[in-house]
């Protein structure tokens, strides 16, 4: 789904760039409400994990492969606003360092892969968790469905962009049929990866899954014919049982293994967009990437002849750079959230509470 330079004309690319910039600005502000002491350390790791898993192309049809887009996974784990930022960081690293996705098409790619997937997936996810039983299994099921739908939604968004600003004369009906058809299959792989990842995090640290917050259902007792909340001690915080550091270290280790070793065995077939573009002539005006001579272009380290070593090193470097860049962004956002609560506001709130308590005591 990484759109290269030349697929979409300059006016449309510029328009999507404005949309993407606006969405990122809104997400930077919205992420302040989502990021806390639990999710802030996880957000940078989620970006690195998405980068790693995107290197693992899996076969979906004859001569075609697919890979994770990551919008659904990020939105469910750390929130929709933070999710947009996670995928945007990944796309920026891929475009600048690895020549994957055109730089003039960055707005197109952020709109398709970060905004559309996140918005569609999280809206569907929230709708499903409201009607399904309030259990952890329901969160996993909702994650599967949301991820499945998000991928063809992104394919449809690309088709609409191509209808407006495509640089070649190809039937939009053919493009839509081919794009949505192959990306429904890719969506199945996306759904499996998303559900497995969300399920694994829920099993260890359910408090870290943004989409699972507020789903705990209190035990009910029937008293005099009416259902009332059962009294009981609060469970011990999950954080006390498993530290942030262990979860973060395990996630980083998994990302490094996937990008540095498992990626060598990924499918070499073109992904869905590349296949459709080649079959229907969309790629006739593809332009050379601005950083095609990057030392890490095409996910290999320049001057390293061994393919396995070259790809593995590139993957490890990519994970490292992404986790650092992502963590820096989310640290700043988290810091801004803390700065929003000024000492004067805190003092005012405290004084107000004290006055209320004093009044209540006097009344009694």
């Amino acid at each position: 789904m990484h759109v290269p330079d030349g697929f979409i004309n300059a006016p449309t690319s510029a328009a999507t760039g404005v949309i993407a910039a606006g969405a990122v600005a809104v997400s930077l502000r919205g992420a302040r409400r989502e990021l806390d002491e639990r999710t802030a350390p996880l957000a940078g790791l989620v970006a690195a994990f998405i980068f790693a898993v995107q290197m693992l192309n899996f076969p979906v049809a004859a001569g075609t492969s697919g890979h994770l887009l990551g919008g659904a996974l990020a939105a469910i784990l750390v929130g929709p606003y933070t999710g947009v930022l996670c995928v945007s960081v990944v796309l920026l690293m891929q475009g600048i360092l690895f020549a994957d996705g055109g730089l003039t098409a960055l707005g197109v790619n952020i709109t398709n892969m970060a905004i559309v997937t996140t918005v569609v997936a999280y809206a569907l996810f929230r709708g499903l968790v409201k009607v399904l039983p309030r259990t952890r299994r329901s969160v996993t099921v909702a994650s599967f469905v949301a991820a499945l739908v998000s991928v063809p939604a992104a394919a449809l968004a690309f088709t609409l962009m191509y209808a407006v600003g495509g640089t070649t004369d190809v039937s939009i009906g053919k493009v839509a049929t081919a794009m949505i058809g192959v990306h429904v299959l890719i969506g199945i792989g996306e759904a499996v990866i998303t559900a497995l990842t969300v399920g694994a995090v829920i099993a260890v640290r359910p408090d870290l899954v943004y989409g699972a917050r507020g789903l705990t259902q209190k035990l009910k007792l029937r008293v005099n014919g009416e259902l009332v909340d059962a009294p009981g001690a609060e469970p011990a915080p999950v954080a006390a049982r498993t530290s942030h550091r262990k979860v973060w270290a395990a996630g980083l280790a998994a990302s490094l293994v996937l990008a540095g070793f498992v990626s060598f065995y990924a499918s070499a077939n073109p992904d869905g967009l590349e296949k459709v573009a080649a079959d229907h002539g969309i790629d006739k005006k593809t332009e050379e990437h601005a950083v095609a001579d990057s030392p890490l272009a095409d996910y290999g380290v320049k001057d390293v002849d061994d393919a396995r070593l070259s790809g593995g090193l590139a993957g490890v470097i990519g994970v490292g750079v992404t986790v650092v860049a992502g963590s820096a962004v989310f640290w700043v956002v988290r810091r801004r959230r803390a700065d929003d609560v000024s000492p004067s506001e805190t003092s005012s709130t405290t004084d107000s509470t004290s006055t209320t308590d004093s009044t209540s005591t006097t009344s009694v």
Side-chain angles (χ1 to χ4, degrees):
M1 188 66 76
H2 292 77
V3 179
D5 297 318
F7 275 27
I8 306 296
N9 62 27
T12 305
S13 295
T16 57
V18 172
I19 293 171
V24 169
V26 171
S27 296
L28 284 168
R29 193 169 188 83
R32 297 184 198 177
R33 299 190 297 271
E34 295 174 347
L35 293 172
D36 54 25
E37 66 280 356
R38 293 175 295 175
T39 54
L42 183 65
L45 177 62
V46 169
F49 183 78
I50 290 173
F51 175 91
V53 180
Q54 283 195 3
M55 293 183 67
L56 308 180
N57 281 47
F58 48 84
V60 294
T64 310
S65 69
H67 62 71
L68 182 83
L69 298 187
L73 177 62
I76 294 165
L77 286 180
V78 292
Y81 292 109
T82 309
V84 169
L85 297 178
C86 282
V87 181
S88 297
V89 167
V90 173
L91 293 171
L92 188 60
M93 295 299 102
Q94 290 172 332
I96 293 176
L97 298 178
F98 298 91
D100 189 10
L103 295 185
T104 62
L106 186 59
V108 173
N109 287 322
I110 289 178
T111 302
N112 282 337
M113 296 177 65
I115 301 171
V116 172
T117 57
T118 299
V119 171
V120 170
Y122 197 72
L124 182 55
F125 172 82
R126 294 306 306 173
L128 288 173
V129 296
K130 287 182 179 180
V131 299
L132 292 173
R134 299 165 68 88
T135 64
R136 296 178 184 179
R137 181 173 298 178
S138 296
V139 174
T140 304
V141 171
S143 301
F144 182 95
V145 177
L148 175 63
V149 175
S150 70
V151 178
L156 177 60
F158 168 78
T159 303
L160 294 176
M161 291 179 189
Y162 187 81
V164 173
T167 56
T168 54
D169 186 16
V170 180
S171 168
I172 299 303
K174 292 182 179 179
V175 174
T177 301
M179 282 292 292
I180 296 174
V182 72
H183 283 90
V184 166
L185 299 178
I186 295 173
I188 297 173
E190 177 105 9
V192 171
I193 294 171
T194 300
L196 288 176
T197 305
V198 171
V201 178
I202 283 183
V204 179
R205 287 290 300 271
D207 62 310
L208 292 182
V209 179
Y210 183 89
R213 294 182 181 181
L215 295 180
T216 303
Q217 193 169 27
K218 293 184 177 180
L219 177 64
K220 298 287 186 178
L221 294 178
R222 187 173 296 278
V223 179
N224 297 327
E226 296 182 0
L227 289 176
V228 298
D229 291 336
E234 290 293 327
V238 180
R241 300 196 297 267
T242 308
S243 70
H244 285 89
R245 291 182 180 180
K246 290 182 179 179
V247 174
W248 197 91
L252 181 60
S255 300
L256 290 171
V257 170
L258 291 174
F261 177 73
V262 181
S263 62
F264 180 77
Y265 301 97
S267 173
N269 291 330
D271 65 24
L273 176 60
E274 292 173 335
K275 179 66 172 175
V276 172
D279 289 347
H280 296 277
I282 296 175
D283 59 353
K284 290 180 180 179
K285 295 187 178 181
T286 302
E287 300 173 5
E288 184 179 15
H289 201 284
V291 294
D293 58 350
S294 165
L296 297 173
D298 296 325
Y299 299 94
V301 177
K302 190 175 182 180
D303 297 329
V304 176
D305 296 329
D306 185 274
R308 184 192 297 269
L309 180 60
S310 178
L313 286 174
V316 168
I317 293 170
V319 168
V321 172
T322 304
V323 75
V324 170
S327 297
V329 169
F330 299 121
W331 181 84
V332 171
V333 173
R334 178 80 178 97
R335 184 79 177 269
R336 290 292 299 275
R337 173 179 174 172
D339 291 344
D340 286 343
V341 182
S342 65
S344 60
E345 290 175 343
T346 303
S347 176
S348 175
T349 303
T350 303
D351 292 343
S352 175
T353 303
S354 299
T355 303
T356 302
D357 290 344
S358 176
T359 303
S360 300
T361 302
T362 302
S363 299
V364 173

